Every structure is written in C-alpha cells, then in structure tokens.
Amino acid sequence: MARKAVIAREKKRERLVAKFAAKRAELKANGDYEALDKLPKNASPVRLHNRCKLTGRPKGYMRKFGISRVTFREMASQGKIPGVTKASW
C-alpha cells in the first residue's frame, strides 16, 4: 500500500487539473503562453500518474479496470470482476 500522503498528493493534482482544464485549453487555443506559464505546475495533466484506485500502487496499472495487476489478479480469482475468467485450454 502506498503512503497516504502520496495518494493524497495525487488526488490533489487531479482536482487541480480538473479545475484549470477549461482555462488551460482556452489559453492554449489563443497561444497565450505567458499566461499559461503562470498557471500552477500541478495543473498540467502531464504531471498526473496513474495509480491503483484501491491500493495506490503506481506500477502495473491496468487502464481498463483502474487497478494494479496484483489487485486485479486477486479480485479476478475471487470472482469480483464481472466477465473475467481464468484462461484454460
């Protein structure tokens, strides 16, 4: 499990990106790079990092499910993810 502070920091970045998304798009469309430079650094979507929604693990993230590979495997084995079955042939 990731540290609570790291998870909180990432959530704060997500809120900042959402808050400045419209203003950022407008400034970019107008080509006003000086005003764009004055926005907070964490308002840039490039600074976001995908993390597992349940554990906060930053690596092995599966976009389709929003969780890490470890959590995915555990939940799939327990039958908690609909439509996912273990392969057998």
Side-chain angles (χ1 to χ4, degrees):
M1 179 100 184
R3 289 192 346 243
K4 298 289 183 187
V6 176
I7 295 170
R9 186 184 321 141
E10 197 65 32
K11 286 182 181 176
K12 187 177 179 182
R13 279 189 188 133
E14 287 175 11
R15 285 194 303 269
L16 251 163
V17 167
K19 180 180 176 182
F20 285 99
K23 187 171 185 177
R24 185 175 189 76
E26 179 187 327
L27 291 172
K28 232 176 185 178
N30 295 338
D32 189 2
Y33 295 105
E34 291 174 6
L36 195 62
D37 197 36
K38 291 178 182 171
L39 292 178
K41 281 184 182 178
N42 285 332
S44 172
V46 172
R47 292 177 68 95
L48 290 177
H49 196 277
N50 290 330
R51 288 183 169 274
C52 176
K53 300 294 181 209
L54 302 175
T55 61
R57 181 183 167 88
K59 296 180 180 179
Y61 180 81
M62 299 175 78
R63 279 188 181 174
K64 186 174 181 180
F65 301 98
I67 54 178
S68 70
R69 62 180 177 80
V70 179
T71 311
F72 174 80
R73 185 155 191 238
E74 288 172 2
M75 290 177 71
S77 295
Q78 296 168 359
K80 292 184 178 177
I81 303 175
V84 175
T85 55
K86 191 168 188 273
S88 61
W89 56 89

